[in-house]
């Protein structure tokens, strides 16, 4: 009984820490929302066009073709639609796709056998979900950005990893080792 209570308390504390981290990350990323709500002179539509935040669905069958072999830097989310933490993380993910518009984005659903195989291969099932991996170097393993805890650290981690990445002609960040036209920083 005492051990069960300790485990329940430990779980409650972990969930509370996650909730606090989510709120902190949400506050840090609200800048992206502000861009779409201000009056400004530049001519563009905030709903689409230049602000296209498409997220590719990837799994073990197409990750190499769509992400690994691409010259562009990719932030990949691994999650499940049945995971409560993943559902809570959805708003943070949406904000990341807007705040870091120079990145490309992909999602791995571990609800499919091919997605689960990829998550296992990348260590995400061992590390925890939701999970973020950053592909930012040609020929290298992805960097771990987030694995279910400390969401408030995501912006600092991304800033550190993305600093100085070259920018392609399309304005998207290129991986280290990919041919780039100019240096860029977020």
């Amino acid at each position: 009984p005492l051990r069960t209570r300790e485990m329940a308390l430990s779980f409650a504390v972990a969930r509370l820490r996650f909730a606090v981290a989510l709120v902190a990350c949400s506050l840090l990323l609200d800048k992206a929302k502000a861009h779409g709500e201000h009056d400004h002179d530049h001519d563009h539509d905030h709903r689409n066009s230049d602000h296209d935040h498409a997220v590719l669905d990837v799994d073990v069958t197409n990750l190499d073709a769509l992400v690994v072999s691409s010259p562009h830097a990719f932030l990949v989310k691994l999650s499940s639609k049945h995971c409560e933490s993943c559902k809570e993380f959805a708003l943070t993910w949406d904000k990341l796709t807007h705040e870091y518009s120079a990145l490309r984005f992909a999602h791995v659903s571990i609800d499919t056998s091919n997605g689960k195989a990829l998550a296992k291969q990348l260590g995400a099932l061992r590390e925890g979900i939701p999970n973020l991996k950053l592909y930012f170097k040609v020929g290298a393993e992805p960097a771990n950005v987030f694995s279910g805890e400390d969401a408030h650290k995501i912006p600092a981690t991304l800033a550190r990893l993305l600093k100085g990445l070259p920018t392609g002609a399309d304005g998207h960040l290129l991986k280290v080792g990919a041919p780039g036209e100019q240096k860029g920083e977020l």
Side-chain angles (χ1 to χ4, degrees):
L2 182 58
R3 181 148 172 88
T4 303
R5 256 189 279 153
E6 288 174 350
M7 288 174 53
L9 181 60
S10 177
F11 181 72
V13 168
R15 285 192 56 91
L16 181 61
R17 284 183 180 157
F18 181 77
V20 168
L22 233 120
V23 168
C25 188
S26 178
L27 292 173
L28 289 172
L29 297 176
D30 272 343
K31 289 186 239 173
K33 183 179 177 188
H35 179 73
E37 294 177 348
H38 69 276
D39 290 330
H40 50 284
D41 295 324
H42 53 280
D43 185 26
H44 66 269
D45 183 353
H46 283 282
R47 291 171 296 173
N48 290 312
S49 67
D50 296 336
H51 294 283
D52 182 15
H53 306 287
V55 177
L56 301 176
D57 289 319
V58 297
D59 59 32
V60 75
T61 66
N62 63 4
L63 179 80
D64 285 342
L66 297 176
V67 175
V68 175
S69 66
S70 171
H72 293 98
F74 266 88
L75 186 61
V76 179
K77 176 180 81 162
L78 299 99
S79 66
S80 168
K81 65 182 175 185
H82 305 291
C83 160
E84 286 303 316
S85 297
C86 298
K87 291 176 186 175
E88 293 171 6
F89 187 72
L91 179 62
T92 301
W93 172 250
D94 185 57
K95 289 182 179 187
L96 288 170
T97 65
H98 288 82
E99 179 76 15
Y100 296 91
S101 59
L103 273 174
R104 298 278 174 103
F105 299 91
H107 174 249
V108 177
S109 171
I110 68 164
D111 299 324
T112 68
S113 59
N114 287 335
K116 191 171 190 175
L118 179 57
K120 186 175 182 180
Q121 178 183 325
L122 294 175
L125 297 180
R126 183 177 16 83
E127 296 165 358
I129 58 169
N131 193 300
L132 296 178
K133 304 284 185 193
L134 180 65
Y135 288 82
F136 73 108
K137 292 182 181 178
V138 171
E141 291 296 314
N144 294 321
V145 174
F146 173 73
S147 57
E149 293 183 6
D150 298 327
H152 67 281
K153 294 181 180 179
I154 294 172
T157 301
L158 286 175
R160 179 177 48 82
L161 295 171
L162 298 175
K163 185 177 182 179
L165 285 185
T167 304
D170 63 358
H172 285 95
L173 294 174
L174 298 172
K175 293 175 184 167
V176 172
E181 295 187 6
Q182 59 192 27
K183 286 283 186 183
E185 293 185 24
L186 291 180

